[in-house]
Amino acid sequence: MTTIAIAGFGKIAKDQHLPALSDNQDLELIAIASRNATLDGVENHEDLASLLSALPELDAVALCTPPQVRYSQAVAAIEAGKHVLLEKPPGVSLSEVEDLVRRAEQKGVTLYATWHAREAAGVEKAREWLSTRRVTRVDIQWREDVRQWHPGQQWVWEPGGLGVFDPGINALSIATHILPEAFFLREATLEVPENCQSPIGATLEFTDVHDTPIHADFDWRQTGPQTWQITVDTDDGTLVLDSGGSQLSINGERVVDGEDIEYAGLYRRFAELIREGRSDVDVAPFRHVADAFLLGRRQSVEAFVE
């Protein structure tokens, strides 16, 4: 049994990581590090440094803290010889993540940059279906209410918090996984509230080697039902991934209507990587976000008040 600790015990850790670990037969949660929360039945520490010092026998750490502090925590865990799971996004810059890869290789530990949306029930079947078809058009609509998913979390609006790309990167993680050709950003518009430093909305235009139009619309101001949909037109009909990838329709017929299995899949993968002595760090979704900040035209919008 591999022992694991969670650093950062906020909403995502409580809602997703904890249930997934409770059902995993290969990983045993023995501690958490959090300034603001505790968990019965495990050791509780105020920070990762004290946790690592108190538990030298610990095997792995899942980092669920905001991305702005994740690099230093990952370095500390890797240097202590621990396997590391990174919540998405894996950091605040590509150079940080590249350095973590180097350090993990040197220490001989597993580093896993997770993309939970890729584990949604319909994603792998969508990838298989598209692999033998020519894509002619892609439309991505990813709209949700930041008040529901990040209540009071100011870090999402600060540099490195990514703003609307925090959920938008989930769509990009699916698109980079299922589309048979690599694609590239051509232009973007980022809507940035007057009182924030990260965007609340974004429109992105991509293409690939075949000049396929790939459009993405991300918005964090949606109310009511949330929209997480990717539509792919091909030379053999249309594929639609809905509900974040848990529902798949092909040519109007529902093929997959799955339950929420994303984080269970992540922890199964993490345990597998540890057993095999390998790492998995795919930065393709993160690179598209970096390109958007580099190439995007910034448009000021009215101040956001939660």
Side-chain angles (χ1 to χ4, degrees), residues 83-231:
H83 307 295
V84 175
L85 179 149
L86 301 170
E87 242 299 354
K88 61 86 187 169
V92 297
S93 71
L94 289 165
S95 57
E96 277 189 355
V97 180
E98 290 169 356
D99 186 61
L100 292 179
V101 170
R102 178 184 63 82
R103 290 176 179 274
E105 289 176 352
Q106 290 179 341
K107 293 294 288 189
V109 298
T110 291
L111 180 66
Y112 181 28
T114 64
W115 302 110
H116 66 82
R118 288 181 176 176
E119 299 291 333
V123 170
E124 197 56 38
K125 192 170 186 65
R127 181 185 189 185
E128 293 172 3
W129 191 82
L130 291 171
S131 67
T132 58
R133 290 161 175 85
R134 182 174 63 85
V135 174
T136 58
R137 181 178 176 275
V138 181
D139 181 72
I140 302 170
Q141 299 292 322
W142 220 259
R143 299 163 171 263
E144 62 183 53
D145 187 352
V146 65
R147 301 170 185 85
Q148 177 179 344
W149 303 102
H150 290 280
Q153 296 179 10
Q154 185 59 33
W155 64 264
V156 299
W157 303 113
E158 298 170 353
L162 300 190
V164 75
F165 286 100
D166 180 79
I169 204 170
N170 293 330
L172 294 172
S173 74
I174 295 175
T176 53
H177 189 64
I178 67 172
L179 295 179
E181 297 281 0
F183 56 94
F184 316 97
L185 186 68
R186 292 294 180 239
E187 59 181 87
T189 300
L190 311 182
E191 298 178 88
V192 183
E194 296 172 350
N195 60 336
C196 301
Q197 295 176 289
S198 295
I200 198 169
T203 55
L204 312 168
E205 305 298 337
F206 301 92
T207 192
D208 61 14
V209 68
H210 304 297
D211 292 326
T212 305
I214 302 171
H215 171 78
D217 187 355
F218 301 156
D219 201 307
W220 234 352
R221 294 162 290 197
Q222 177 118 327
T223 57
Q226 311 289 274
T227 302
W228 302 302
Q229 186 178 84
I230 299 177
T231 303

Side-chain angles (χ1 to χ4, degrees), residues 255-270:
V255 177
V256 175
D257 193 354
E259 57 184 337
D260 184 358
I261 58 173
E262 296 177 16
Y263 279 83
L266 292 183
Y267 278 104
R268 281 196 301 272
R269 175 65 171 160
F270 190 37

